[in-house]
Amino acid sequence: VEAVKMSFADQTQFTPLVVCELAEDTKEEAVEWLLSRIKEKQRNGGDRLLPALSQDDKKENPNIFLVGASWQRLLIGAEDLGLIKEFSDGSMRTFTYANREDFKDFQGDGDGFLSMAECQLIIKHELDTLRAKQETYVPGYPKIKLYPGKSIVRRMHSKGILLQIFPLHDKEELKRLSSTWYQQIRMAFQPLDDIRRYFGESLALYFGFLEYFTLAMLPMAIIGIPYYFFDWENYDNYVVFAICNLIWTTVMLEMWKRFGACLAYSWGTLSRKKAFEEPRPGFHGVLGHNPVTGREEPVYPNAKRHLRIYLVSLPFVLLCLYVSLCVMMVYFDAEGWVLGLHDVEPTFWTGLLLFLPSIVYAVVIEIMNRLYRYAAEFLTDWENHRLESTYQNHLTLKVLVFNFLNCFASLFYIAFVMQDMPLLRQSLATLLITSQILNQFLEAFLPFWLQKRRNKRVQRNESQTALGSKLPFEKQVMLEADMSTYLGTFDDYLELFLLFGYVSLFSCVYPIAALLVVLNNVTEIYSDALKICQVFKRPFSEPAANIGVWQLAFESMSIIAVVTNCALIGMSPQVKSYFPESESQLILLVVAVEHVFLVLKFILAFVIPDIPKHIQIKLARVEFESMEALKKKVNEGNSSSFWKSLKLHITVPGQERWC
């Protein structure tokens, strides 16, 4: 391929932004065809492809190409993508190439107006929208069918011809971000705007929520410290702490929605319209007609998908829940055996042995959660959902249900069946501490250690410094191509969700739980920042206006927390002493108090607006101005049409002279 022989000297004409890696044994005609399709857009001001990685080592994959674009094409792509940028009057408006001079910070040819993350997102969007024309199959692969109007890149990716597409790191910008983010331990807020410019809104919102969650936990941690050191054995006094729990969970989540809305507005994603979703790369079915786009594409019957969900996936989830309950009962048997052994002959070693069942159970819970995650992903793939959003919703529901039962079932059993508060406190402490240690090891330390080992091999082979220093550009691309792929914020949000559950549900019997979560979250900020910058490939930016389905998950947990804390209040000896002879009256009182708190919770949710008033006014003003501009344009068009028709009416008669 002549294009493959292009020199790296051409890099000076544009900045390489995205890497495309094809399979090493990809047929030459398929490579030529893909390059020609991308270059076809170049002649019309489209993408520019630089397939220039010359290989000295024959073992390396030669089918790795760099993609970039001119600033003009990127700005046009920003309009196609519907990016919202700050206007000269301070409002946030959808970017248009024609009015580019009216946007704040636009200077010259627009160099620097778009962040690198936005530029890479535009390139990915352009590649995803490369659509088949009259081709019926991928050249060289007659069995891989193409459908008119469907994405070429998605099709090649689902069939294993295209291995990966990932954005390149900017080493200088990454170094600056790292120095202000995680390399120095200091009392300061995270540089969320810089994170957003480099990694995009979705990741910036995650770190914003992690920081907010940590700060919001401080009041509970401060209140819990004196409880733990002075009153933790007196379970009569946990009523006040439980009430604080109820108020905190509601106010914390409602205030986050306001804070998140402020962030999303300043980043231009709060009012951004949701793009039309293309089918997932793995979606398959028989060829049919899409009534929305008018194109032919694979379709899959909803009835068949529902049969898979309700006849296979649902029974499998229920079976996993049953296995989790069986493991829990084994844990209680082991706990009872150890307690009996300690009661018969109490020694120092039997005292230590008391903690062993809880530690082993906590480890088993983490193992089961991770094994179930793989099974849930397999089942959700097999259900063959058409859209990525639908796929994520079904996967999240499966994982949340199992993780909730697996992590909290034993605590509910101890609290409301055994009614053993000392054992509840011990089990909660063991589960919380063990899960935090395991998560830090598996999610941060282990990947970073493996990455450092691989970088040392590169250092020995190249006599250069590892990732973060000046490797030759070709080797730097290869190094990034071999890095692990970041799978998104799902696991990170799941970890925060479980920690939120430990604090909101049962921390009244173990008040120091909030402090442990604060300490964990502080280390989590640094470890997550380290792994996202040094361990994984740079992820593509994902525009996001909020934390999505996780907001609903946290709010559902807060509702469960109301019921749980009210039940714990009713079980306290202090409250029971007021109803020595009538347990039914106590139950009715607990239910009534629970309903009162639920009503107060929903009142607070209604009274506290999700979007601050000043942002609502700005959004309404932009919408009003857009409607007025549209009316003006329509009126001018109607007036022009009227005068054109009137002119024809006058000139057609020819001989008649009237007007």
Side-chain angles (χ1 to χ4, degrees):
V1 185
E2 288 298 321
V4 178
K5 300 178 181 179
M6 296 175 63
S7 169
F8 264 105
D10 291 336
Q11 289 180 31
T12 58
Q13 300 178 14
F14 77 105
T15 302
L17 295 171
V18 174
V19 177
C20 295
E21 181 179 5
L22 303 177
E24 189 172 353
D25 58 350
T26 302
K27 295 183 179 179
E28 186 174 328
E29 52 264 45
V31 177
E32 290 182 355
W33 171 71
L34 180 60
L35 298 184
S36 66
R37 287 305 311 272
I38 298 178
K39 287 174 177 294
E40 190 176 279
K41 300 189 76 175
Q42 178 188 345
R43 290 196 293 270
N44 298 321
D47 298 342
R48 171 151 189 192
L49 184 68
L50 180 64
L53 283 182
S54 57
Q55 304 297 331
D56 297 326
D57 187 354
K58 300 301 181 182
K59 295 181 181 179
E60 298 282 4
N61 185 359
N63 294 323
I64 295 182
F65 309 110
L66 304 178
V67 183
S70 65
W71 272 108
Q72 179 184 8
R73 186 63 191 90
L74 289 172
L75 292 172
I76 295 174
E79 179 177 351
D80 295 338
L81 201 57
L83 294 184
I84 295 179
K85 308 292 287 185
E86 187 174 359
F87 207 62
S88 55
D89 62 358
S91 61
M92 305 297 294
R93 300 174 185 266
T94 304
F95 176 79
T96 56
Y97 184 77
N99 298 328
R100 59 190 182 279
E101 301 288 346
D102 296 327
F103 283 83
K104 186 179 179 181
D105 298 330
F106 189 95
Q107 299 175 354
D109 60 354
D111 187 4
F113 177 70
L114 299 174
S115 68
M116 190 175 182
E118 291 172 334
C119 294
Q120 290 167 334
L121 179 63
I122 292 168
I123 294 292
K124 183 177 184 296
H125 173 74
E126 294 297 325
L127 292 175
D128 285 342
T129 53
L130 277 175
R131 302 189 183 280
K133 295 181 178 178
Q134 281 74 39
E135 303 96 337
T136 57
Y137 61 90
V138 176
Y141 300 89
K143 294 184 178 180
I144 301 180
K145 302 298 182 183
L146 291 175
Y147 308 107
K150 297 304 295 178
S151 173
I152 293 172
V153 170
R154 288 174 178 265
R155 185 65 172 169
M156 296 179 71
H157 181 65
S158 65
K159 294 301 180 180
I161 300 176
L162 178 63
L163 298 182
Q164 61 178 341
I165 299 177
F166 65 91
L168 279 170
H169 274 294
D170 182 330
K171 306 310 296 181
E172 293 300 322
E173 189 173 348
L174 180 61
K175 185 177 180 180
R176 288 193 297 269
L177 175 61
S178 300
S179 64
T180 59
W181 191 7
Y182 68 88
Q183 287 184 347
Q184 299 178 3
I185 299 177
R186 54 185 179 179
M187 297 295 293
F189 293 107
Q190 296 178 95
L192 295 180
D193 289 330
D194 294 337
I195 297 171
R196 174 253 171 183
R197 285 187 63 83
Y198 194 82
F199 289 111
E201 292 81 13
S202 179
L203 261 173
L205 276 174
Y206 162 70
F207 282 103
F209 179 76
L210 175 56
E211 181 179 87
Y212 174 87
F213 181 42
T214 306
L215 293 175
M217 196 78 68
L218 283 176
M220 296 301 297
I222 294 172
I223 296 173
I225 291 174
Y227 263 88
Y228 179 79
F229 285 105
F230 301 109
D231 243 348
W232 66 298
E233 289 288 358
N234 186 357
Y235 295 102
D236 286 350
N237 294 330
Y238 64 57
V239 175
V240 175
F241 197 87
I243 294 174
C244 293
N245 240 343
L246 298 178
I247 299 173
W248 169 77
T249 54
T250 300
V251 175
M252 173 257 187
L253 292 175
E254 291 303 318
M255 296 306 294
W256 158 251
K257 285 192 284 189
R258 292 172 60 84
F259 179 68
C262 293
L263 290 177
Y265 178 79
S266 65
W267 296 338
T269 56
L270 183 62
S271 57
R272 185 180 177 187
K273 295 181 179 178
K274 189 177 181 181
F276 178 77
E277 283 193 81
E278 294 284 346
R280 295 176 56 246
F283 176 70
H284 60 272
V286 298
L287 189 63
H289 181 77
N290 188 321
V292 178
T293 62
R295 298 192 296 258
E296 288 187 332
E297 66 176 37
V299 295
Y300 191 79
N302 283 329
K304 190 173 181 180
R305 182 181 298 111
H306 289 156
L307 286 176
R308 290 188 173 190
I309 292 174
Y310 295 114
L311 297 184
V312 179
S313 295
L314 181 60
F316 177 80
V317 173
L318 294 176
L319 176 63
C320 290
L321 296 178
Y322 174 74
V323 171
S324 175
L325 293 176
C326 290
V327 172
M328 180 188 73
M329 298 312 297
V330 172
Y331 155 67
F332 284 126
D333 290 340
E335 190 77 46
W337 178 79
V338 170
L339 285 173
L341 184 65
H342 181 70
D343 291 339
V344 172
E345 189 177 352
T347 64
F348 172 78
W349 298 109
T350 57
L352 290 180
L353 195 62
L354 290 174
F355 295 94
L356 184 61
S358 297
I359 294 175
V360 173
Y361 183 55
V363 174
V364 171
I365 283 177
E366 291 298 322
I367 294 174
M368 291 176 63
N369 284 342
R370 294 180 184 277
L371 292 177
Y372 177 81
R373 169 68 185 275
Y374 296 125
E377 288 180 348
F378 174 80
L379 280 176
T380 312
D381 279 329
W382 181 69
E383 290 166 6
N384 195 26
H385 296 281
R386 179 178 177 273
L387 301 179
E388 183 65 28
S389 59
T390 309
Y391 172 88
Q392 290 296 334
N393 289 339
H394 280 78
L395 176 62
T396 303
L397 180 61
K398 290 185 183 73
V399 173
L400 284 183
V401 169
F402 180 81
N403 277 259
F404 180 83
L405 184 70
N406 199 33
C407 293
F408 299 115
S410 61
L411 301 178
F412 279 103
Y413 186 85
I414 296 171
F416 302 117
V417 178
M418 300 175 63
Q419 298 187 12
D420 189 341
M421 295 305 162
L423 180 59
L424 176 61
R425 173 179 50 80
Q426 175 189 322
S427 299
L428 176 60
T430 307
L431 289 175
L432 183 59
I433 296 173
T434 306
S435 64
Q436 289 177 347
I437 294 174
L438 289 176
N439 284 326
Q440 291 291 341
F441 176 79
L442 295 175
E443 295 182 8
F445 175 77
L446 182 61
F448 181 72
W449 179 72
L450 294 175
Q451 182 66 25
K452 292 290 286 186
R453 287 191 60 188
R454 192 170 63 82
N455 289 346
K456 287 181 179 179
R457 289 198 299 269
V458 175
Q459 180 181 358
R460 287 194 297 267
N461 294 336
E462 300 296 330
S463 299
Q464 299 276 353
T465 335
L467 182 64
S469 63
K470 294 183 179 179
L471 280 172
F473 185 73
E474 304 97 317
K475 297 300 181 182
Q476 183 62 48
V477 172
M478 290 300 177
L479 182 63
E480 292 188 32
D482 291 338
M483 295 172 75
S484 302
T485 301
Y486 182 66
L487 300 178
T489 56
F490 185 96
D491 290 326
D492 299 314
Y493 277 120
L494 179 61
E495 182 182 351
L496 295 182
F497 171 78
L498 296 177
L499 292 176
F500 178 75
Y502 285 128
V503 174
S504 62
L505 294 177
F506 299 107
S507 64
C508 60
V509 297
Y510 187 58
I512 206 173
L515 178 62
L516 295 177
V517 172
V518 168
L519 297 176
N520 173 82
N521 287 359
V522 171
T523 59
E524 187 81 13
I525 290 174
Y526 288 96
S527 62
D528 284 352
L530 176 65
K531 72 180 182 182
I532 200 67
C533 291
Q534 300 293 341
V535 176
F536 295 108
K537 293 185 185 74
R538 182 179 184 175
F540 278 105
S541 169
E542 294 183 16
N546 47 55
I547 61 175
V549 68
W550 291 103
Q551 181 73 38
L552 179 60
F554 278 89
E555 290 177 351
S556 301
M557 180 67 82
S558 69
I559 294 175
I560 298 174
V562 171
V563 180
T564 304
N565 280 274
C566 287
L568 288 173
I569 292 172
M571 290 171 53
S572 68
Q574 183 181 12
V575 175
K576 283 184 175 181
S577 63
Y578 292 103
F579 302 92
E581 298 179 355
S582 178
E583 187 174 346
S584 60
Q585 291 183 0
L586 174 60
I587 295 175
L588 290 176
L589 177 63
V590 170
V591 172
V593 172
E594 168 202 310
H595 280 66
V596 169
F597 275 111
L598 287 174
V599 170
L600 289 175
K601 178 179 177 62
F602 290 120
I603 290 176
L604 283 175
F606 178 78
V607 170
I608 302 175
D610 294 347
I611 302 175
K613 187 67 174 180
H614 68 280
I615 293 181
Q616 294 182 26
I617 294 174
K618 290 180 179 179
L619 293 175
R621 183 183 297 122
V622 171
E623 184 178 358
F624 171 76
E625 291 176 358
S626 300
M627 292 297 296
E628 289 298 309
L630 180 62
K631 289 179 182 178
K632 183 178 179 180
K633 186 175 181 180
V634 171
N635 291 335
E636 289 177 353
N638 292 339
S639 176
S640 176
S641 300
F642 170 76
W643 287 110
K644 286 179 181 179
S645 63
L646 183 60
K647 182 179 179 181
L648 288 173
H649 182 71
I650 294 174
T651 56
V652 166
Q655 302 299 325
E656 299 180 19
R657 295 176 178 270
W658 51 272
C659 58

